Amino acid sequence: MYVTFHGATREVTGSFHTVDTGNDRIVLDCGLFQGKRKEAEAKNRVLAVDPKGITNLVLSHAHLDHSGRIPMVVKEGFAGGVFCTRATASACEYLLRDSAKIQEGDASYLNYKTARNFMAKLKTGGKTKVSREEMAEIKAMLKKGEHRLNSEAIVDLLHEHQLEVVTPLYSMEDAEDSLSHFHGVPYESSTVIGDNLSCTFYDAGHILGSAMVVLSKSNGSTTKNIMFSGDIGRFNKPIINDPELNFAGEHQDIDLLIMESTYGNRQHEPVQDMKPMLKKVLQETFARGGSVLIPAFAFGRTQEIIYYLHELYMAGEVQRVPVYVDSPLATNITHVFGEHPETYDDDTHETFLENGLNPFNFQHLKFVQTVEESMALNRDTRSHIVIAGSGMCEGGRILHHLRHKIHNDRNTVLIVGYMGTNTFGRQIQEKAEEFESGGRKGLPPMVRFYNKEYPLKANVVTLGGFSAHGDREELYRVLTESNLKIKKIALVHGEEDQAFSFRDFLSDKGFDVLVPYQGQTIHIS
């Protein structure tokens, strides 16, 4: 067998690897690259392999950096099955549709900007600025009402004047088509995915439905096993089970482990400290009369925060201010959590289910439905909590909440997840850390978004322990406390400093480890 690493190599997005057996080509994950717009666009449009030549696709979990290009490969001719856990299949029904909506919306807006700027130049001959009245006239030609774009007229104009037309990576129709390829499989149940080739899913403890997957290739009397870790979660976190450590006998001998390394050189705060630390942030913010903004991924992090808040409110440990989940996607994904109680850990069953309680619903929690409701929150001067996307502050409703609250030092921006390099969330995090290290003296740093600069006066607190990724010690625990016998490890899904540091750490412990480069192939003989 030949394993080739095409994505999430020395970076943390765009997970994509292939396993070639001679008779079959299997793809492990098919994720979107997320980062700067132009770089992401260039990487996402290039597929490393011909989709028509893929036998089947195995998906570790539903996060878009692992699943987000599945509609694209289906659009380009992939005819096989997408094998994943049942909860992952359920989550993808919402995540891939939402991704398609974003792709279509981004393309429409970029085309609108091109058309608007072109018409403005026509009006003035490119010499002076258009007047407010002239711009209003241009916008009226390109829009249907105040908020809807006239996409058909915009594209016709661009074609007529031979201007570039931006197309989405895939459409809503493509996303719908891709969902028909999904096959939900129970954990620890072997499924045939090729000629003498099977896959088995084990709980990865990362998010609902996440899996480590073992590919087993039989050749007469011998079997070769490749394990793909997907993203490995933390131990002792609420809601879902811990990463699996007990593997079936036929899957214990691993010829190659493809392992994530997101936090290969980090140590998180202990999980048991997360609720007290969250409590402290809330108490301090409410004492100032402020509100708490939490940028959070719709899948996983939002539900975890809801869970902790529910516990704190039940115990009366914090002021019971309104809690708003301002993300239609997060609302839908929370329903998915409710549909899969079989994945919950014992604590969740004992605390909530056995007492007839829903972990993800309580009196002070409100799921915001409309844009108008979302905007109205900005006029609410009472202390409250807003959980909104996107998790890295690259778009979504969190931005307009930041616009109204980031300049007020009574408020807190609570960062509870990984902020990728070059994202707006990372910028906020780093500028706030520098300001805090100087004692918050002098002028606050400025951050720019929505074409305007804002002073970063709000308190910014990072609670790294909320990460859904295991830290170095937890990743090492999977290697040493499980019953696996591993011949070779390839580290993926980690920025270079994390991956290479983890390689050195594991090498010192006696493991055979490499950090593959993009396009590198390993032969499993």
Side-chain angles (χ1 to χ4, degrees):
M1 290 189 289
Y2 294 87
V3 179
T4 306
F5 306 91
H6 298 288
T9 51
R10 307 186 184 191
E11 58 190 0
V12 292
T13 65
S15 183
F16 192 106
H17 316 290
T18 57
V19 178
D20 290 281
T21 68
N23 294 320
D24 298 290
R25 170 173 284 174
I26 305 299
V27 168
L28 302 176
D29 282 354
C30 190
L32 280 171
F33 177 85
Q34 297 165 312
K36 290 183 177 179
R37 182 187 292 273
K38 287 185 178 180
E39 183 183 6
E41 174 77 7
K43 287 189 174 184
N44 284 327
R45 288 196 179 273
V46 177
L47 290 168
V49 297
D50 182 356
K52 297 183 183 69
I54 300 171
T55 307
N56 285 305
L57 195 153
V58 175
L59 178 61
S60 66
H61 64 286
H63 277 153
L64 289 178
D65 61 325
H66 295 258
S67 70
R69 284 202 291 178
I70 292 174
M72 186 177 171
V73 298
V74 171
K75 175 184 176 182
E76 297 296 327
F78 170 64
V82 178
F83 293 87
C84 58
T85 66
R86 290 170 174 171
T88 292
S90 297
C92 281
E93 290 184 23
Y94 295 106
L95 287 162
L96 295 182
R97 289 182 179 122
D98 186 72
S99 178
K101 182 180 178 181
I102 291 170
Q103 302 288 340
E104 291 180 330
D106 285 351
S108 294
Y109 180 67
L110 292 171
N111 288 331
Y112 163 71
K113 283 181 64 177
T114 300
R116 184 191 65 192
N117 294 341
F118 173 74
M119 292 184 70
K121 287 181 180 179
L122 284 182
K123 283 275 186 185
T124 64
K127 295 178 181 178
T128 59
K129 276 190 172 183
V130 294
S131 66
R132 183 172 297 180
E133 292 77 15
E134 287 173 324
M135 182 56 72
E137 181 184 337
I138 291 169
K139 289 181 178 180
M141 294 174 61
L142 302 176
K143 288 186 173 183
K144 296 178 179 179
E146 187 176 351
H147 300 295
R148 288 181 59 208
L149 298 178
N150 189 341
S151 297
E152 186 176 338
I154 290 169
V155 171
D156 286 345
L157 175 71
L158 297 181
H159 281 311
E160 180 184 351
H161 294 280
Q162 298 182 329
L163 298 170
E164 180 184 6
V165 177
V166 176
T167 57
L169 285 174
Y170 48 84
S171 66
M172 183 66 75
E173 183 180 355
D174 298 324
E176 294 286 355
D177 287 346
S178 73
L179 294 173
S180 67
H181 291 251
F182 277 70
H183 301 277
V185 178
Y187 283 116
E188 301 183 31
S189 175
S190 182
T191 302
V192 174
I193 58 170
D195 184 21
N196 293 317
L197 183 66
S198 65
C199 71
T200 307
F201 296 99
Y202 291 91
D203 202 329
H206 173 60
I207 58 169
L208 190 83
S210 63
M212 296 178 274
V213 58
V214 177
L215 269 61
S216 299
K217 173 66 174 175
S218 298
N219 185 15
S221 59
T222 63
T223 298
K224 295 293 181 181
N225 289 322
I226 295 171
M227 174 177 277
F228 175 45
S229 77
D231 288 347
I232 297 174
R234 302 203 63 193
F235 288 84
N236 303 316
K237 288 195 77 176
I239 308 174
I240 61 174
N241 290 308
D242 288 350
E244 184 62 64
L245 297 176
N246 186 29
F247 297 84
E250 65 268 26
H251 298 146
Q252 292 176 14
D253 292 319
I254 302 298
D255 295 278
L256 175 67
L257 169 61
I258 305 168
M259 187 178 197
E260 72 125 316
S261 56
T262 310
Y263 288 117
N265 190 29
R266 300 269 184 90
Q267 188 166 349
H268 298 318
E269 295 96 341
V271 168
Q272 60 266 29
D273 291 348
M274 287 300 96
K275 189 164 65 171
M277 293 171 75
L278 174 62
K279 173 183 171 181
K280 181 174 183 288
V281 171
L282 298 179
Q283 289 177 331
E284 291 176 349
T285 304
F286 300 154
R288 296 192 300 264
S291 294
V292 179
L293 301 183
I294 307 177
F297 294 109
F299 188 16
R301 195 60 38 77
T302 292
Q303 292 74 32
E304 189 177 352
I305 296 296
I306 291 172
Y307 184 100
Y308 277 127
L309 290 173
H310 195 169
E311 286 192 321
L312 289 169
Y313 277 37
M314 281 173 51
E317 295 186 45
V318 295
Q319 182 182 343
R320 295 186 179 99
V321 306
V323 179
Y324 300 98
V325 176
D326 192 8
S327 164
L329 177 59
T331 299
N332 288 327
I333 292 296
T334 303
H335 294 324
V336 173
F337 270 74
E339 293 166 357
H340 289 276
E342 75 278 4
T343 65
Y344 299 169
D345 62 13
D346 291 342
D347 287 343
T348 304
H349 279 273
E350 292 171 7
T351 304
F352 292 101
L353 271 62
E354 291 177 12
N355 293 303
L357 298 173
N358 182 342
F360 310 108
N361 196 18
F362 54 95
Q363 181 182 352
H364 298 83
L365 177 67
K366 179 176 176 57
F367 292 92
V368 178
Q369 300 297 326
T370 67
V371 174
E372 289 73 23
E373 285 182 274
S374 177
M375 299 300 288
L377 288 180
N378 298 315
R379 299 189 293 273
D380 190 346
T381 58
R382 301 171 299 166
S383 292
H384 56 268
I385 300 168
V386 177
I387 307 169
S390 70
M392 295 189 190
C393 303
E394 282 292 279
R397 294 184 181 180
I398 190 63
L399 291 179
H400 75 76
H401 293 298
L402 288 170
R403 180 173 62 178
H404 286 84
K405 291 184 171 65
I406 202 169
H407 57 275
N408 189 329
D409 60 8
R410 293 182 304 168
N411 299 324
T412 298
V413 179
L414 178 58
I415 294 175
V416 294
Y418 178 79
M419 294 295 177
T421 304
N422 298 318
T423 62
F424 185 52
R426 175 75 71 91
Q427 183 187 146
I428 291 174
Q429 192 176 33
E430 290 177 345
K431 287 191 174 186
E433 286 174 356
E434 185 177 350
F435 190 41
E436 288 290 339
S437 67
R440 294 181 65 88
K441 295 178 181 178
L443 295 175
M446 304 297 290
V447 290
R448 185 175 181 82
F449 60 109
Y450 282 154
N451 295 317
K452 186 176 177 181
E453 288 196 330
Y454 297 85
L456 179 52
K457 292 183 180 179
N459 295 269
V460 179
V461 179
T462 299
L463 297 184
F466 276 106
S467 174
H469 290 267
D471 62 16
R472 187 184 73 179
E473 297 307 315
E474 289 167 312
L475 296 176
Y476 184 57
R477 181 176 174 181
V478 171
L479 299 176
T480 57
E481 295 188 19
S482 71
N483 57 359
L484 296 174
K485 302 169 186 174
I486 301 164
K487 291 182 181 178
K488 193 176 189 68
I489 301 173
L491 296 178
V492 297
H493 204 284
E495 292 176 358
E496 287 193 341
D497 60 333
Q498 299 296 317
F500 281 102
S501 177
F502 194 39
R503 179 202 63 181
D504 295 343
F505 172 80
L506 293 179
S507 295
D508 287 344
K509 304 293 185 182
F511 288 95
D512 182 3
V513 191
L514 80 155
V515 180
Y517 54 82
Q518 186 174 0
Q520 185 172 351
T521 297
I522 294 177
H523 181 211
I524 308 299
S525 58

